[in-house]
Amino acid sequence: MQQPLTSKPVRRGGAVPIVITVLGVVTILFIVALIGAGSPATFIAGAIPSTAALIVCLLCYRWLDRWEPEPIRLTVMALIWGGSAAVIFSFLVEMAIPASEFATTAIVAPIVEEFAKASVFVIVATGIRKRELTSLTDHIYYAGICALGFAFVENLGYFALSSSTGDFVAMVIVRTGFGVFGHPLYTTATAVGIWAWRTKGGLWKAAAGYIVACLLHGLWNGGPTLLADSLGLDDAGQLTAMILVYIVLFVPVFIGTITMTTRNRRNEYEAVRSQLPLMVEAGLVTPIEADMIADPRKRRAALAESGKYGRAAKRNQKRTITAVTEAALAQHRIAAGEGGPELVKRRDQLSEWLRSRPDKLGQRPLMPPLPPMQPPTAW
């Protein structure tokens, strides 16, 4: 049984996430009230598929993040930031730029909205919060969560503007069907660029990721119209053109993104496994804990077993698993010459906490002390 810990690794982000979340919630409620006031019936009907799409996508991102889960407070902050600050900024800038409807949709909107969604990294990657960004998965996660908040509020607006049953059905198909992962997919390109910049250097990499995000967004917004015009299709043919653009362009991009994130998760898994023997030698974890953390099935079994002793015990077990995983990934990056002083500080902070835990699994305090082992200098 896991006893309550006397201390825990610091994963606080200060008051900033709380303030942003509270102000963002108020802003979203205000936006929703304005949207719903115009056409309450359509708004309520549109809220159903929008909410369903949001829940499904959030579950997918939480599954992606299950290896080293990000703090709930930062997840909520990113979601709220996307649905409030990013939406307000995009709306004001797009309204202020004079352009035709097509130019606004295909050029202005992608440039402005991708910048607005990427702004979440200004919040997440500053101060103590940047210690949470220890992997490519973390960057993709926060970009996707922010984009989901943006897409949810935007979808509500589009549904409220639908003037007929046909328009509403088309919105369901396009906004919560084909395009359900649209905004997260575009912003993923920016996230990859920012990750490459933060780990390898070169600001141009972040700029390149942002440009790719804008291009994908612009092709999705304007590609069907250009294709329909070139083929001489009528308004009804727009949907056919959209399906063609989706199949030819976005299905391969989507598959490629899934492949990249899956491979990255596997690499992170191998990185953690490679560090566990060193962590045992350094006294950070016990052999039993290392064996458990190295095997996802044993992780789940350990969490289920600790849950029999109450929420506090299960929370402590989760905390330990997360701390070990994060410390291992940090050390792997440091050994590869990546990261900076902040990453080293985070690694040392987690190492000290892990070493001083009173509740290590398999620990036998009544045994005579063993001769001290020299841990690797990296630890």
Side-chain angles (χ1 to χ4, degrees):
M1 174 180 176
Q2 294 254 327
Q3 300 297 326
L5 300 180
T6 56
S7 59
K8 63 180 180 180
V10 178
R11 298 189 73 180
R12 302 184 181 92
V16 173
I18 298 175
V19 172
I20 290 175
T21 300
V22 172
L23 293 178
V25 168
V26 173
T27 303
I28 290 176
L29 291 176
F30 179 72
I31 296 173
V32 168
L34 290 177
I35 294 174
S39 179
T42 307
F43 169 76
I44 294 173
I48 297 175
S50 297
T51 304
L54 176 65
I55 293 173
V56 170
C57 292
L58 282 175
L59 290 176
C60 290
Y61 272 92
R62 290 303 288 179
W63 176 84
L64 173 68
D65 189 51
R66 64 180 179 172
W67 181 244
E68 188 231 329
E70 294 304 298
I72 293 296
R73 68 184 181 287
L74 293 185
T75 298
V76 173
M77 183 199 70
L79 182 70
I80 297 301
W81 180 266
S84 56
V87 169
I88 293 293
F89 175 83
S90 299
F91 176 78
L92 293 177
V93 174
E94 289 171 29
M95 291 293 292
I97 298 177
S100 65
E101 181 180 355
F102 177 79
T104 298
T105 301
I107 301 175
V108 177
I111 293 174
V112 174
E113 292 175 9
E114 291 312 313
F115 179 83
K117 289 181 291 178
S119 66
V120 72
F121 287 105
V122 176
I123 307 299
V124 179
T126 55
I128 197 172
R129 292 172 297 280
K130 65 184 175 183
R131 298 179 190 173
E132 300 296 341
L133 294 175
T134 56
S135 67
L136 174 58
T137 299
D138 294 344
H139 288 69
I140 293 174
Y141 177 79
Y142 283 114
I145 294 297
C146 179
L148 288 177
F150 184 96
F152 174 71
V153 175
E154 185 184 58
N155 286 344
L156 293 178
Y158 276 105
F159 277 116
L161 293 174
S162 58
S163 57
S164 65
T165 302
D167 286 345
F168 184 87
V169 173
M171 289 295 176
V172 172
I173 295 174
V174 174
R175 304 299 305 182
T176 60
F178 292 131
V180 65
F181 279 106
H183 278 293
L185 182 63
Y186 315 143
T187 314
T188 292
T190 307
V192 173
I194 292 175
W195 162 250
W197 168 45
R198 294 185 72 233
T199 55
K200 302 294 185 181
L203 184 58
W204 66 268
K205 296 175 183 177
Y210 168 70
I211 292 172
V212 171
C214 293
L215 289 175
L216 290 173
H217 197 159
L219 286 171
W220 175 248
N221 283 3
T225 299
L226 293 176
L227 182 61
D229 290 344
S230 64
L231 296 178
L233 302 176
D234 56 15
D235 291 341
Q238 286 273 359
L239 183 59
T240 301
M242 183 173 290
I243 293 174
L244 288 175
V245 170
Y246 185 82
I247 293 175
V248 173
L249 178 64
F250 283 91
V251 168
V253 171
F254 183 76
I255 293 174
T257 302
I258 294 297
T259 302
M260 177 190 66
T261 53
T262 302
R263 182 181 296 116
N264 180 69
R265 262 192 47 168
R266 184 166 59 249
N267 291 340
E268 290 177 1
Y269 171 71
E270 294 301 329
V272 172
R273 285 177 58 91
S274 70
Q275 293 297 324
L276 285 173
L278 301 178
M279 298 178 78
V280 171
E281 194 174 353
L284 306 184
V285 295
T286 64
I288 291 178
E289 288 176 325
D291 180 62
M292 176 266 292
I293 291 171
D295 189 330
R297 290 177 297 179
K298 292 181 179 180
R299 277 189 178 203
R300 292 191 291 270
L303 288 173
E305 179 66 23
S306 63
K308 297 178 182 179
Y309 301 99
R311 293 183 179 178
K314 188 172 185 178
R315 184 167 58 249
N316 289 341
Q317 189 68 271
K318 283 184 177 180
R319 187 187 301 163
T320 298
I321 292 174
T322 300
V324 172
T325 304
E326 187 178 346
L329 289 174
Q331 173 58 24
H332 181 77
R333 285 184 57 197
I334 293 169
E338 301 175 355
E342 285 292 334
L343 189 63
V344 174
K345 184 176 180 180
R346 181 61 174 164
R347 188 275 313 271
D348 293 344
Q349 180 188 55
L350 290 165
S351 300
E352 180 60 30
W353 181 81
L354 289 168
R355 186 177 287 111
S356 62
R357 286 175 301 136
D359 65 338
K360 295 178 182 177
L361 292 177
Q363 191 169 251
R364 300 180 66 181
L366 297 181
M367 290 180 63
L370 297 174
M373 298 181 66
Q374 183 64 34
T377 56
W379 289 105

